[in-house]
Amino acid sequence: MIRFICIVIFVVLFLILTTPIRFVEWLLHRSSPHASDISSLRIVQWAFKVILRMTGVRTTVIGEENIPDEPVLFVGNHRSYFDILLTYSRCRRPTGYVAKKEMEKYPGLASWMRRLHCLFLDRSNPKEGLKMILQAIDYVKNGISICIFPEGTRNPGEELSMLPFRDGALKIATKSGCAIVPVSMNNTAEIFENHLPKIRKTHVVIEYGKPIYPDQLDKDTKRHIGEYVEKLISDTIHKNAGLV
């Protein structure tokens, strides 16, 4: 419980104390967008790394060398709020995450998310979902990676289970031509969700798969690309289950 309280205090202080920094980043973005993107990325990564140190989590990372030095679509399984901190803290280039629209209710947090090219998805409105996909494609074409969890929400089921992937999310890659990088995570719910509100030290495993270029797939696989990537991630979390 002490860890949880310390993290809440840190997050509140970070959002308050970085208010003038967000303004400086906004000014910097007007003259040098890329420099602003990188500095904003590093600031938030620093905060995420501090939070992860507070949790005491130990992370084993496999296959990070598989990530190409180009904008990609990261696709992962999703069982914990900490999935975002664990993966975003390792991004080497500007990366926007797809988040639920409800996150816009938190002004300080939403402001940082917009600075980081995050996209807010209204899951109840198909037209807004299409607009989000088009915006994500535009980001990729302008050098910004996107990370999405195609299960659509955090999976509260058993550790090695997964919710069905939503194919629409993969259109970001098929329409932009960027690579898909599968991200498989084991044991992340054990940090927090499995024993709310306590945060516990634990060991998680993250594996980055080899990049998948949609245009290099056969027609049938490309048509069912969501199922294809879902199976790759499922197979990987089962393979890594013995490592945690």
Side-chain angles (χ1 to χ4, degrees):
M1 191 66 178
I2 293 176
R3 288 193 185 95
F4 175 76
I5 294 171
C6 289
I7 288 172
V8 170
I9 293 171
F10 176 81
V11 170
V12 171
L13 288 175
F14 175 82
L15 293 176
I16 293 172
L17 297 177
T18 58
T19 299
I21 295 176
R22 293 200 304 272
F23 178 68
V24 172
E25 289 293 334
W26 177 76
L27 291 176
L28 177 61
H29 191 266
R30 298 183 68 181
S31 59
S32 182
H34 181 69
S36 174
D37 286 348
I38 296 298
S39 60
S40 294
L41 170 67
R42 301 302 178 223
I43 290 167
V44 172
Q45 284 182 324
W46 170 82
F48 282 1
K49 288 174 182 177
V50 170
I51 294 171
L52 291 172
R53 281 197 291 271
M54 289 180 178
T55 68
V57 66
R58 181 167 62 90
T59 308
T60 295
V61 181
I62 303 168
E64 200 163 18
E65 69 279 1
N66 288 326
I67 305 172
D69 187 20
E70 60 190 51
V72 302
L73 177 66
F74 292 105
V75 175
N77 60 312
H78 190 29
R79 289 184 49 76
S80 172
Y81 289 118
F82 282 91
D83 296 340
I84 298 166
L85 281 72
L86 287 160
T87 52
Y88 197 77
S89 61
R90 310 194 70 86
C91 291
R92 295 194 294 260
R93 58 186 302 129
T95 304
Y97 275 56
V98 176
K100 58 185 179 182
K101 190 172 179 63
E102 289 79 0
M103 297 299 292
E104 288 188 298
K105 295 177 181 177
Y106 308 99
L109 180 60
S111 178
W112 267 117
M113 292 174 74
R114 291 190 191 96
R115 285 286 321 114
L116 298 168
H117 304 286
C118 289
L119 296 163
F120 298 95
L121 175 62
D122 184 352
R123 290 174 290 189
S124 65
N125 190 330
K127 288 185 179 180
E128 289 299 312
L130 178 59
K131 286 173 62 177
M132 184 278 296
I133 289 172
L134 293 174
Q135 180 64 70
I137 291 169
D138 186 60
Y139 278 168
V140 170
K141 289 181 177 179
N142 283 281
I144 298 163
S145 294
I146 297 293
C147 182
I148 193 165
F149 303 113
E151 290 171 283
T153 187
R154 285 182 301 109
N155 173 18
E158 295 183 0
E159 170 60 24
L160 299 180
S161 68
M162 287 176 59
L163 300 174
F165 275 17
R166 301 183 180 188
D167 281 335
L170 282 297
K171 289 181 180 178
I172 297 169
T174 57
K175 298 296 185 182
S176 69
C178 76
I180 298 167
V181 176
V183 185
S184 308
M185 290 175 278
N186 287 73
N187 212 37
T188 59
E190 188 58 27
I191 301 172
F192 182 53
E193 281 78 6
N194 286 351
H195 36 70
L196 297 170
K198 295 180 180 179
I199 291 177
R200 292 181 178 170
K201 293 182 179 181
T202 190
H203 175 214
V204 304
V205 177
I206 304 172
E207 179 164 346
Y208 295 92
K210 292 182 178 180
I212 302 163
Y213 291 90
D215 290 344
Q216 296 178 7
L217 299 174
D218 62 70
K219 289 184 179 180
D220 188 59
T221 303
K222 188 175 181 180
R223 189 180 302 114
H224 303 286
I225 194 168
E227 294 177 15
Y228 176 69
V229 178
E230 179 185 347
K231 185 177 187 307
L232 284 175
I233 293 175
S234 180
D235 289 347
T236 304
I237 62 174
H238 279 80
K239 172 180 71 72
N240 291 337
L243 299 178
V244 296

